Amino acid sequence: MQISLLVALPFAVKAVIRLGVPDIRNDAAPQVQLTADEIATRIAAPSGRAADPENLDRLLRLLASHNLLTTTVSGTERRYGLTPASGLKYLASNEGRSLASLLLFQTSPEFVSPFEFLHETVLDPSVEPLRRAYGVGTFEFLEKDRALGSLFNKAMAGSSALVMSSLLQEYKGFEGLNTLVDVGGGIGENLALILSKYPHLRGINFDLPYVVNKGLQIRDAKLINMDVLVVDTSLKSQSGFSIDVLMLTYLNGGRERNLSQFRKIAAAAGFSRVEIAVSVVNQTVLEFHKIDR
Ligand SMILES: *[C@@H]1O[C@H](CO)[C@@H](O)[C@H](O)[C@H]1NC(C)=O
Ligand SMILES: *[C@@H]1O[C@H](CO)[C@@H](O)[C@H](O)[C@H]1NC(C)=O
């Protein structure tokens, strides 16, 4: 029952993002609790009419029940607040450090439909659900649909900006490097963040697959890989397992890996040693080294 009903949550979140609620909530001081009425008056309805507070409240109370907001009830009045643990603040614009685009992308009809073919990957591992739905692979599809492609770039940039700010506090492995290549660096967001902290670095942003073959023939190089490290038997891997199923749906050969699988692909690419450097927000920084030292 719970699983069947769960679908209401991401789409309720999508609705409040479209209404601008995370920014409205974020712009008020954290200690200020807002009613649905107060939030509704700040929503710019296209018709010029006031937004409907009652239907807004129906969405917000669901979000609050999933800890995206706090809620206090006095009499019949419900008020919504934010604490540091409230998920909604990660959906505010926050100068690009936001998970809003990721949620909008993930709940787009185009990227929900391919799940219809997920079971076929078990019957025939050569099936790629997204390709089965559209006749092209994910990146070709995103190239053709410019609006969705740009939403995808914003989704990746927004989520990695959040992760990168934590990474830069914890991980010291960029010190002592001269040149840093971001392979598959998207629109260069990560590289820009790293270079703002380590301005002595020469940064190269690459986003083409052939670069992996050309760029890594250096000796004395290390590859820094931040990813979800799957621990096969642990509930801690729940988000890793979810991303893995998304990859099964969207990307031919894409998967989340455990340490021995990383060691295997590292060895196949000529890296003799894999080290766990640090873990940040449920992601792990792995360093692949070409030579032992
Ligand atoms: C991150 O890890 C913690 C503890 O290991 C877990 O409680 C939490 O649910 C994880 N978060 C996600 C998004 O998987
Ligand atoms: C890693 O995953 C592979 C493939 O699923 C599995 O065969 C292997 O036992 C796993 N290794 C560990 C240490 O869990």
Side-chain angles (χ1 to χ4, degrees):
M1 182 68 84
Q2 226 177 351
I3 292 169
S4 311
L5 301 182
L6 205 54
V7 71
L9 177 63
F11 289 98
V13 175
K14 179 178 188 165
V16 303
I17 291 172
R18 286 175 149 177
L19 294 166
V21 173
D23 281 336
I24 293 171
R25 187 41 278 199
N26 217 37
D27 289 346
Q31 70 276 12
V32 175
Q33 309 251 311
L34 299 176
T35 62
D37 273 287
E38 289 164 340
I39 296 173
T41 58
R42 292 165 165 86
I43 292 174
S47 61
R49 272 201 329 217
D52 186 66
E54 195 184 329
N55 282 348
L56 178 62
D57 190 62
R58 293 165 72 180
L59 300 177
L60 295 180
R61 66 183 182 183
L62 174 64
L63 270 54
S65 75
H66 284 275
N67 297 323
L68 279 98
L69 287 157
T70 62
T71 181
T72 50
V73 185
S74 61
T76 56
E77 194 179 65
R78 208 191 313 271
R79 294 188 158 268
Y80 296 99
L82 284 183
T83 67
S86 304
L88 197 80
K89 66 180 195 298
Y90 296 105
L91 299 167
S93 313
N94 200 15
E95 290 160 6
R97 292 180 189 190
S98 172
L99 298 177
S101 300
L102 183 61
L103 191 128
L104 294 178
F105 174 77
Q106 204 59 70
T107 54
S108 67
E110 293 86 347
F111 276 75
V112 168
S113 291
F115 289 114
E116 209 48 49
F117 304 106
L118 183 56
H119 66 290
E120 292 188 10
T121 62
V122 177
L123 303 173
D124 174 359
S126 75
V127 167
E128 294 172 49
L130 186 133
R131 189 181 291 277
R132 174 90 167 65
Y134 304 123
V136 291
T138 295
F139 292 107
E140 224 179 311
F141 183 77
L142 290 174
E143 201 181 328
K144 288 210 173 94
D145 188 328
R146 307 302 291 188
L148 211 55
S150 114
L151 181 62
F152 173 76
N153 286 338
K154 272 178 77 179
M156 294 299 109
S159 54
S160 52
L162 268 175
V163 174
M164 278 314 272
S165 50
S166 305
L167 175 77
L168 285 172
Q169 284 169 24
E170 300 279 330
Y171 179 62
K172 302 297 166 213
F174 297 119
E175 286 167 13
L177 299 182
N178 299 313
T179 303
L180 180 67
V181 184
D182 194 352
V183 182
I187 54 179
E189 178 91 8
N190 278 342
L191 201 57
L193 278 171
I194 298 167
L195 294 187
S196 69
K197 176 147 183 192
Y198 299 102
H200 72 277
L201 278 178
R202 192 165 84 94
I204 302 171
N205 187 50
F206 268 127
D207 199 290
L208 287 171
Y210 75 84
V211 172
V212 179
N213 299 328
K214 285 195 175 167
L216 296 179
Q217 305 303 322
I218 311 157
R219 307 301 302 173
D220 196 21
K222 73 175 174 188
L223 186 144
I224 304 165
N225 174 55
M226 183 149 171
D227 210 334
V228 175
L229 187 63
V230 166
V231 186
D232 283 271
T233 54
S234 170
L235 270 183
K236 277 188 191 172
S237 286
Q238 204 167 47
S239 61
F241 295 155
S242 300
I243 299 170
D244 188 57
V245 170
L246 296 183
M247 298 234 192
L248 184 60
T249 309
Y250 300 147
L251 289 174
N252 184 21
R255 59 169 66 233
E256 292 301 326
R257 296 177 169 86
N258 62 28
L259 192 56
S260 39
Q261 289 169 309
F262 272 119
R263 291 218 157 97
K264 215 164 145 183
I265 57 167
F271 292 91
S272 54
R273 189 159 55 89
V274 175
E275 253 177 39
I276 297 182
V278 66
S279 288
V280 206
V281 287
N282 295 12
Q283 302 211 26
T284 303
V285 176
L286 294 174
E287 288 187 347
F288 294 12
H289 293 267
K290 282 241 161 178
I291 52 169
D292 276 311
R293 58 168 188 170

